[in-house]
Amino acid sequence: MAGWILPTAINLAVLAIAIGRSLRQVPFADHVFGASAGTKALLLLTASVLMGLILNALQIPLYRILEGYLLWPARLYARRSRHHREHRRELADRLTRTRFARRSAAERAQSRDTAQGLAETAASGPPDLYDDVATATQQALLGERLARYPVQDDQITPTRLGNAIRRLEEYGYDRYRLDS
Protein backbone atom coordinates (compact mmCIF):
# COMPACT_ATOMS: atom_id res chain seq x y z
CA MET A 1 0.00 0.00 0.00
CA ALA A 2 2.79 2.46 0.89
CA GLY A 3 4.36 1.65 -2.49
CA TRP A 4 1.59 3.60 -4.17
CA ILE A 5 1.38 6.61 -1.81
CA LEU A 6 4.91 8.01 -2.20
CA PRO A 7 4.97 7.84 -6.03
CA THR A 8 1.50 9.40 -6.10
CA ALA A 9 2.69 12.22 -3.81
CA ILE A 10 5.71 12.86 -6.02
CA ASN A 11 3.59 12.86 -9.19
CA LEU A 12 1.00 15.19 -7.66
CA ALA A 13 3.70 17.61 -6.48
CA VAL A 14 5.35 17.65 -9.91
CA LEU A 15 1.96 18.12 -11.57
CA ALA A 16 1.14 21.02 -9.24
CA ILE A 17 4.48 22.68 -9.96
CA ALA A 18 4.20 22.11 -13.72
CA ILE A 19 0.63 23.31 -14.30
CA GLY A 20 -0.13 25.23 -11.09
CA ARG A 21 0.20 28.67 -12.63
CA SER A 22 -2.08 27.84 -15.55
CA LEU A 23 -4.81 26.69 -13.15
CA ARG A 24 -5.06 30.07 -11.40
CA GLN A 25 -8.22 30.88 -13.38
CA VAL A 26 -10.10 27.92 -11.88
CA PRO A 27 -11.81 29.14 -8.65
CA PHE A 28 -11.05 26.06 -6.53
CA ALA A 29 -7.44 25.90 -7.71
CA ASP A 30 -6.99 29.60 -6.94
CA HIS A 31 -8.06 28.95 -3.33
CA VAL A 32 -5.71 25.96 -3.07
CA PHE A 33 -2.68 27.74 -4.50
CA GLY A 34 -3.43 30.83 -2.41
CA ALA A 35 -3.55 28.84 0.85
CA SER A 36 -0.78 28.62 3.41
CA ALA A 37 2.09 26.17 3.05
CA GLY A 38 0.70 23.96 5.83
CA THR A 39 -2.69 23.71 4.12
CA LYS A 40 -1.05 22.87 0.80
CA ALA A 41 1.05 20.13 2.45
CA LEU A 42 -2.02 18.70 4.18
CA LEU A 43 -3.96 18.71 0.93
CA LEU A 44 -1.07 17.01 -0.90
CA LEU A 45 -0.83 14.39 1.84
CA THR A 46 -4.58 13.73 1.81
CA ALA A 47 -4.77 13.51 -1.97
CA SER A 48 -1.71 11.22 -2.05
CA VAL A 49 -3.12 8.86 0.54
CA LEU A 50 -6.54 8.69 -1.12
CA MET A 51 -5.14 8.17 -4.63
CA GLY A 52 -2.56 5.70 -3.30
CA LEU A 53 -5.31 3.64 -1.68
CA ILE A 54 -7.38 3.70 -4.87
CA LEU A 55 -4.40 2.66 -7.00
CA ASN A 56 -3.54 -0.07 -4.50
CA ALA A 57 -7.07 -1.45 -4.81
CA LEU A 58 -6.74 -1.36 -8.62
CA GLN A 59 -3.26 -2.91 -8.62
CA ILE A 60 -4.16 -6.31 -10.08
CA PRO A 61 -6.33 -4.94 -12.92
CA LEU A 62 -3.66 -2.32 -13.74
CA TYR A 63 -0.94 -4.96 -13.98
CA ARG A 64 -3.20 -7.21 -16.07
CA ILE A 65 -3.71 -4.34 -18.53
CA LEU A 66 0.03 -3.63 -18.67
CA GLU A 67 0.83 -7.32 -19.14
CA GLY A 68 -1.63 -7.56 -22.04
CA TYR A 69 -4.23 -9.84 -20.46
CA LEU A 70 -7.10 -7.42 -19.85
CA LEU A 71 -8.95 -4.92 -22.08
CA TRP A 72 -6.87 -5.54 -25.20
CA PRO A 73 -8.86 -5.62 -28.47
CA ALA A 74 -8.41 -8.96 -30.24
CA ARG A 75 -6.86 -7.47 -33.37
CA LEU A 76 -4.37 -5.38 -31.42
CA TYR A 77 -3.54 -8.34 -29.16
CA ALA A 78 -2.87 -10.55 -32.19
CA ARG A 79 -0.83 -7.89 -34.01
CA ARG A 80 1.38 -7.05 -31.02
CA SER A 81 1.87 -10.74 -30.15
CA ARG A 82 2.87 -11.42 -33.76
CA HIS A 83 5.28 -8.48 -33.61
CA HIS A 84 6.93 -9.85 -30.47
CA ARG A 85 7.14 -13.37 -31.93
CA GLU A 86 8.89 -11.95 -35.02
CA HIS A 87 11.21 -9.86 -32.86
CA ARG A 88 12.07 -12.92 -30.77
CA ARG A 89 12.85 -14.91 -33.93
CA GLU A 90 15.03 -12.08 -35.28
CA LEU A 91 16.96 -11.93 -32.02
CA ALA A 92 17.44 -15.70 -32.03
CA ASP A 93 18.65 -15.60 -35.66
CA ARG A 94 21.04 -12.71 -34.96
CA LEU A 95 22.42 -14.50 -31.92
CA THR A 96 22.93 -17.72 -33.89
CA ARG A 97 24.65 -15.82 -36.73
CA THR A 98 26.95 -13.95 -34.36
CA ARG A 99 27.90 -17.11 -32.50
CA PHE A 100 28.67 -18.87 -35.78
CA ALA A 101 30.61 -15.87 -37.12
CA ARG A 102 32.64 -15.52 -33.92
CA ARG A 103 33.45 -19.24 -33.98
CA SER A 104 34.49 -19.04 -37.65
CA ALA A 105 36.62 -15.95 -37.02
CA ALA A 106 38.35 -17.64 -34.10
CA GLU A 107 39.07 -20.73 -36.22
CA ARG A 108 40.49 -18.56 -39.02
CA ALA A 109 42.67 -16.71 -36.54
CA GLN A 110 43.99 -19.99 -35.14
CA SER A 111 44.77 -21.36 -38.60
CA ARG A 112 47.07 -18.39 -39.31
CA ASP A 113 49.75 -19.56 -36.93
CA THR A 114 52.70 -19.44 -39.29
CA ALA A 115 55.35 -16.77 -38.85
CA GLN A 116 54.43 -15.19 -42.19
CA GLY A 117 50.74 -15.11 -41.27
CA LEU A 118 51.51 -13.53 -37.93
CA ALA A 119 53.78 -10.95 -39.55
CA GLU A 120 51.11 -10.06 -42.14
CA THR A 121 48.46 -9.78 -39.46
CA ALA A 122 50.68 -7.54 -37.33
CA ALA A 123 51.57 -5.34 -40.31
CA SER A 124 47.97 -4.88 -41.44
CA GLY A 125 46.71 -3.85 -38.02
CA PRO A 126 43.71 -5.36 -36.34
CA PRO A 127 41.90 -7.87 -38.53
CA ASP A 128 38.52 -7.08 -40.02
CA LEU A 129 37.11 -10.17 -38.40
CA TYR A 130 34.60 -8.16 -36.41
CA ASP A 131 32.93 -6.38 -39.31
CA ASP A 132 30.13 -8.95 -39.32
CA VAL A 133 30.89 -10.40 -35.92
CA ALA A 134 29.52 -8.98 -32.70
CA THR A 135 31.86 -8.57 -29.79
CA ALA A 136 31.39 -10.82 -26.80
CA THR A 137 29.60 -8.01 -24.97
CA GLN A 138 27.22 -7.39 -27.87
CA GLN A 139 26.58 -11.11 -28.13
CA ALA A 140 25.82 -11.30 -24.41
CA LEU A 141 23.42 -8.36 -24.72
CA LEU A 142 21.64 -10.11 -27.59
CA GLY A 143 21.34 -13.21 -25.44
CA GLU A 144 19.99 -11.14 -22.57
CA ARG A 145 17.39 -9.49 -24.80
CA LEU A 146 16.36 -12.90 -26.10
CA ALA A 147 16.08 -14.24 -22.55
CA ARG A 148 13.33 -11.69 -21.83
CA TYR A 149 10.98 -13.63 -24.06
CA PRO A 150 9.21 -16.88 -23.19
CA VAL A 151 10.75 -19.99 -24.72
CA GLN A 152 7.61 -21.11 -26.54
CA ASP A 153 5.91 -18.97 -29.19
CA ASP A 154 2.43 -19.64 -27.83
CA GLN A 155 3.46 -18.07 -24.49
CA ILE A 156 4.30 -14.66 -25.99
CA THR A 157 2.11 -11.74 -24.92
CA PRO A 158 1.56 -8.35 -26.61
CA THR A 159 3.69 -6.31 -24.19
CA ARG A 160 7.31 -6.36 -23.05
CA LEU A 161 6.25 -6.44 -19.42
CA GLY A 162 3.94 -9.38 -20.08
CA ASN A 163 6.70 -11.27 -21.87
CA ALA A 164 9.22 -10.62 -19.10
CA ILE A 165 6.81 -11.75 -16.40
CA ARG A 166 5.73 -14.79 -18.44
CA ARG A 167 9.39 -15.74 -18.89
CA LEU A 168 9.89 -15.43 -15.15
CA GLU A 169 6.81 -17.58 -14.49
CA GLU A 170 7.87 -20.28 -16.95
CA TYR A 171 11.59 -20.31 -16.14
CA GLY A 172 11.39 -22.91 -13.36
CA TYR A 173 9.55 -25.38 -15.55
CA ASP A 174 11.56 -24.73 -18.72
CA ARG A 175 14.90 -24.99 -16.96
CA TYR A 176 14.34 -27.53 -14.19
CA ARG A 177 10.90 -29.03 -14.93
CA LEU A 178 9.65 -27.63 -11.60
CA ASP A 179 6.20 -26.23 -11.07
CA SER A 180 6.67 -22.63 -10.00
Side-chain angles (χ1 to χ4, degrees):
M1 173 173 37
W4 288 98
I5 295 173
L6 180 62
T8 302
I10 292 170
N11 284 318
L12 286 175
V14 169
L15 184 68
I17 291 169
I19 65 170
R21 292 185 187 262
S22 64
L23 291 177
R24 292 282 181 168
Q25 294 94 13
V26 178
F28 175 74
D30 188 38
H31 291 300
V32 170
F33 288 109
S36 68
T39 306
K40 288 179 191 177
L42 184 61
L43 183 62
L44 177 65
L45 177 66
T46 305
S48 300
V49 168
L50 288 176
M51 286 185 67
L53 291 172
I54 291 169
L55 289 172
N56 186 48
L58 296 173
Q59 180 175 351
I60 292 174
L62 287 173
Y63 277 119
R64 292 188 59 78
I65 290 169
L66 293 174
E67 290 176 26
Y69 297 128
L70 185 65
L71 298 177
W72 277 73
R75 291 177 60 183
L76 181 61
Y77 184 95
R79 189 176 83 204
R80 292 297 300 163
S81 295
R82 186 173 48 251
H83 167 77
H84 282 286
R85 276 192 297 275
E86 290 169 2
H87 189 254
R88 181 181 165 277
R89 273 190 225 110
E90 288 172 9
L91 283 173
D93 291 345
R94 282 178 58 194
L95 186 60
T96 302
R97 283 194 310 269
T98 59
R99 285 179 178 160
F100 178 74
R102 282 184 58 79
R103 197 173 304 123
S104 298
E107 289 171 1
R108 284 194 308 268
Q110 286 178 352
S111 68
R112 288 187 281 173
D113 58 357
T114 64
Q116 180 184 7
L118 290 174
E120 289 173 5
T121 302
S124 66
D128 292 333
L129 298 175
Y130 297 105
D131 287 345
D132 296 325
V133 180
T135 64
T137 304
Q138 291 169 333
Q139 187 175 347
L141 288 173
L142 275 174
E144 188 176 308
R145 287 175 57 197
L146 181 62
R148 293 180 188 149
Y149 284 99
V151 174
Q152 300 171 347
D153 276 349
D154 62 339
Q155 296 288 322
I156 291 183
T157 66
T159 66
R160 284 185 187 183
L161 177 65
N163 286 322
I165 291 175
R166 180 70 61 94
R167 173 66 175 172
L168 178 70
E169 292 169 348
E170 297 294 321
Y171 180 78
Y173 182 76
D174 291 337
R175 178 75 177 207
Y176 302 109
R177 297 295 182 224
L178 295 173
D179 184 16
S180 58

